[in-house]
């Protein structure tokens, strides 16, 4: 029991991302309302962003800005353990932009669906297609 | 000076023409069309130039963006494989751009400049995916092309919106899986550059690591969703068949083929043939899946009464050919798959263009639209026949030679079920196309049932549509006739180490 707890606690950020991914997948697969599917998609993308951000963390490290680094003549070697990894943050800035764009396109298409079919419930749309 | 910059010009030419179209072409359709053609010609000539450089020079071209050295900065890597795919993608995009003049005016009457801007963004995204040497950059370009393809597909008719919505949800899951897989690789190696990744992943500890395996599974699943590989193909037929003619001419040949290219690139340039075929050992299972994809695609195509939907299911079957060829794990299967990427771009382009011309002239989308086609639209019908023969695999069209290599590869590894699936698909395709030929020749043209002996006026599509169609049809025969040349000069160089 103790081992299991340590196992879960040691990687709690991965568990959180996993649970969020599962919630997002559930929303996309099981929900009947198309807007809820879009929300599930957004949760799914955010979970991956959190996953990336969490892997850049180091204990007892500070933000990746080198104090007095600029213009100092003697370039002493920088200890990477003192700073969190900035690269995943930068990558996720791009991923956030992509996520916002996807959300925008999905909502625009959803609006068109509502205008054409008069509803955003999937089963009602399928009914109206069959007729 | 400019020669050193040609690799980036391949992507920048369409991107900038897109920006110019948004700014300057709001009033005039002709300006928009002119700028589109300008961008596509620029991109195509840069791609030709780069391909020639690769063929003459020694080794791949590395282009550093902003002159940052590779493990830290992004680089474009153009070798024989990516040079060839860049050439095909930019060529197909140029042909479709010329073709689009009339169809777009009919099908998308308002805001043509927005449509053309999305067109250029999609093309630059696809070209970027092919050229890049960085796995995260690939994700961004994948999403650029996916987002513009969602917007393009939504501007269709009928059920286009609901079909596009499904594609958005499924496509986003695919891209996110890819991103998640890249995250696993990044945790284990700390790098995103493909060449750097492949050296780090080459150690025995990495080969045994479960994280790398999970990362590979996520990445490959994401790409399979994007390429509509069975059983993840559900979104493709609806989304592509409801789209407007130009959109389906552009997206159907290119999107799936670029995804296949990316699968090959990641399997052999990031991971290695050693890892894929010796450590994972999925090849038996994967070839079976490819067989099922081929059979399901072909049989579903047979059940369709709508021309475009029929072609969409053929695309699903063709994806099975290429995936199966790659996973045969020998050099003949691999060269068959690479050669098939090249020929399949042109085959599907030719068929979609011919069908688009028929729909443009008759307004019908069912198989009955082909009635009297050989007398009404002789050139379109001839192009359609060449495309159909190539899909069936009749020499001297290129479809025969790709099947030849795939079957040789399958026999060498003893995977006879793949041979059977390929032959079965050829048979089904023969039935499909000869059924259409029968409708074209023998079905009475008008509703009263006595069209055969009355005068039928030749009513051919405009020249702007015919020229690209004839070029793509001719290229099928040319690629077929020059198979030996292409094999020894391009395809042979793409075969990865360890096959």
């Amino acid at each position: 029991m103790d081992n299991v707890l340590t196992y879960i606690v040691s990687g709690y950020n991965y568990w959180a991302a996993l649970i969020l991914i599962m919630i997002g997948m559930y929303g996309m697969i099981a929900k009947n309302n198309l807007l809820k599917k879009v929300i599930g998609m957004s949760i799914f993308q955010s979970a991956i962003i959190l996953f990336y951000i969490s892997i850049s963390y180091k204990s007892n490290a500070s933000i990746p800005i080198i104090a007095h680094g600029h213009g100092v003549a003697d370039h002493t070697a920088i200890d990477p353990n003192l700073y969190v990894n900035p690269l995943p943050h930068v990558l996720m800035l791009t991923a956030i932009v992509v996520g916002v764009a996807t959300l925008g396109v999905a909502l625009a298409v959803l609006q068109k669906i509502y205008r054409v079919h008069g509803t955003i419930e999937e089963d009602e749309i399928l009914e109206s297609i069959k007729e | 000076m400019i020669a050193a910059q040609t690799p980036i010009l391949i992507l920048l030419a369409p991107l900038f023409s897109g920006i110019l179209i948004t700014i300057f072409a709001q009033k005039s359709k002709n300006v928009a069309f002119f700028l589109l053609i300008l961008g596509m010609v620029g991109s195509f000539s840069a791609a030709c130039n780069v391909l020639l450089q690769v063929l003459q020079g020694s080794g791949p071209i590395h282009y550093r963006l902003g002159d940052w050295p590779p493990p830290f900065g992004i680089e474009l890597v153009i070798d024989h494989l990516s040079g060839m795919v860049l050439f095909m993608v930019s060529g197909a995009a140029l042909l479709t751009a010329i073709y689009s003049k009339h169809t777009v005016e009919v099908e998308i009457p308002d805001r043509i400049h927005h449509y053309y801007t999305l067109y250029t963004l999609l093309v630059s995204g696809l070209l970027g995916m092919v050229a890049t040497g960085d796995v995260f950059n690939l994700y961004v370009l994948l999403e650029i092309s996916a987002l513009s393809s969602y917007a393009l597909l939504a501007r269709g008719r009928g059920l286009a919106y609901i079909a596009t919505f499904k594609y958005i949800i499924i496509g986003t899951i695919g891209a996110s899986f890819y991103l998640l897989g890249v995250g696993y690789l990044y945790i284990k190696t700390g790098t995103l550059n493909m060449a750097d990744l492949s050296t780090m992943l080459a150690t025995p500890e990495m080969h045994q690591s479960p994280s790398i395996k999970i990362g590979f599974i996520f990445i490959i699943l994401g790409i399979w969703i994007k390429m509509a590989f069975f059983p993840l193909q559900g979104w493709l037929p609806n989304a592509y068949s409801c789209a407007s003619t130009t959109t389906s001419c552009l997206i159907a040949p290119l999107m799936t083929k670029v995804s296949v290219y990316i699968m090959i690139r990641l399997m052999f340039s990031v991971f290695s043939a050693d890892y894929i075929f010796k450590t994972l050992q999925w090849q038996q299972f994967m070839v079976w899946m490819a067989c099922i994809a081929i059979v399901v695609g072909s049989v579903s195509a047979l059940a369709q009464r709508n021309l475009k939907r029929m072609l969409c299911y053929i695309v699903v079957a063709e994806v099975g050919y290429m995936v199966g060829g790659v996973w045969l794990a020998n050099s003949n299967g691999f060269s068959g798959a690479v050669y098939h990427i090249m020929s399949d771009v042109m085959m599907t382009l030719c068929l979609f263009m011919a069908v688009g011309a028929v729909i443009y002239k008759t307004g019908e989308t069912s198989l009955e639209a082909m009635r009297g086609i050989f007398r009404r639209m002789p050139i379109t019908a001839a192009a359609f026949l060449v495309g159909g023969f190539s899909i069936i695999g009749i020499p001297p069209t290129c479809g025969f030679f790709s099947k030849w290599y795939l079957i040789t590869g399958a026999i060498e590894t003893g995977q006879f079920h793949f041979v059977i699936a390929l032959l079965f698909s050829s048979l089904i395709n023969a039935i499909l196309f000869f059924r259409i030929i029968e409708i074209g020749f023998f079905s009475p043209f008008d509703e009263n049932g006595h069209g055969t002996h009355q005068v039928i006026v030749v009513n051919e599509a405009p020249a702007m549509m015919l020229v690209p169609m004839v070029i793509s049809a001719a290229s099928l025969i040319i690629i077929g006739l020059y198979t030996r040349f292409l094999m020894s000069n391009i395809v042979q160089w793409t075969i990865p180490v360890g096959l």
Side-chain angles (χ1 to χ4, degrees), chain B residues 193-315:
Chain B
N193 183 281
M194 285 186 191
D196 210 23
L197 267 172
S198 82
T199 49
M200 294 215 185
L201 291 176
T203 58
E205 303 89 72
M206 287 293 186
H207 277 211
Q208 296 308 324
S209 155
S211 313
I212 296 293
K213 192 172 177 183
I214 301 283
F216 178 75
I217 292 172
F218 272 127
I219 287 178
I220 207 87
L221 263 181
I223 298 167
W224 281 340
I225 291 177
K226 285 281 173 191
M227 78 167 80
F229 182 58
F230 180 84
L232 308 165
Q233 92 288 22
W235 57 270
L236 186 138
N238 281 328
Y240 285 7
S241 60
C242 296
S244 71
T245 302
T246 322
T247 312
S248 42
C249 281
L250 179 68
I251 296 183
L254 297 186
M255 208 69 178
T256 47
K257 259 49 92 188
V258 169
S259 312
V260 172
Y261 162 81
I262 286 174
M263 183 185 82
I264 294 175
R265 177 59 71 200
L266 292 171
M267 275 169 68
F268 300 109
S269 295
V270 174
F271 298 89
S272 56
D274 232 26
Y275 180 69
I276 308 278
F277 297 131
K278 298 226 173 82
T279 313
L280 287 182
Q281 295 203 330
W282 291 357
Q283 47 270 50
Q284 289 290 335
F285 171 72
M286 285 311 303
V287 173
W288 273 109
M289 288 303 282
C291 293
I292 298 172
I294 294 170
V295 171
V296 167
S298 309
V299 172
S300 321
L302 197 58
Q304 301 307 316
R305 299 299 296 167
N306 178 312
L307 279 169
K308 261 189 178 172
R309 277 186 81 85
M310 185 192 91
L311 294 183
C312 289
Y313 281 106
I314 291 178
V315 169

Side-chain angles (χ1 to χ4, degrees), chain A residues 21 28 34 38 41 44-45 48 51-52 55 85 87-88 91 94 98 101-102 109-110 112-113 116 122 129, chain B residues 136 139-140 143 147 150 154 159 161-162 165-166 168-169 172-173 176-177 179-180 182-184 186-187 192:
Chain A
I21 286 174
M28 278 188 277
L34 296 184
V38 174
M41 182 182 89
F44 185 72
Q45 286 182 317
I48 292 172
F51 168 75
Y52 264 83
I55 63 176
N85 185 356
L87 189 71
L91 299 180
T94 322
V98 169
T102 318
V109 171
L110 199 55
K112 283 283 190 184
I113 290 175
V116 173
E122 196 173 19
I129 290 170
Chain B
F136 189 79
Y139 163 75
V140 175
E143 282 289 25
L147 283 168
Y150 302 148
L159 304 172
Y161 294 128
I162 190 82
F165 186 81
K166 283 195 178 146
I168 293 177
I169 297 285
T172 308
I173 295 177
S176 303
F177 272 178
L179 184 60
L180 203 56
V182 169
Y184 277 78
Y186 181 70
I187 292 174
L192 294 165

Side-chain angles (χ1 to χ4, degrees), chain B residues 79-130:
Chain B
D79 54 8
H80 284 82
L81 180 59
S82 52
M84 186 271 287
V85 178
L86 283 174
F87 178 78
M88 297 314 288
V89 170
S90 57
L94 174 63
L95 289 178
T96 315
I98 300 169
Y99 179 88
S100 72
K101 178 87 169 106
H102 294 280
T103 50
V104 166
E105 277 173 16
V106 173
E107 292 183 326
I108 297 144
D110 61 331
R111 290 175 297 155
I112 284 184
H113 61 289
H114 285 167
Y115 183 82
Y116 278 154
T117 309
L118 290 168
Y119 188 112
T120 55
L121 285 176
L122 172 63
V123 173
S124 47
L126 289 174
L127 291 169
M129 278 156 81
V130 177

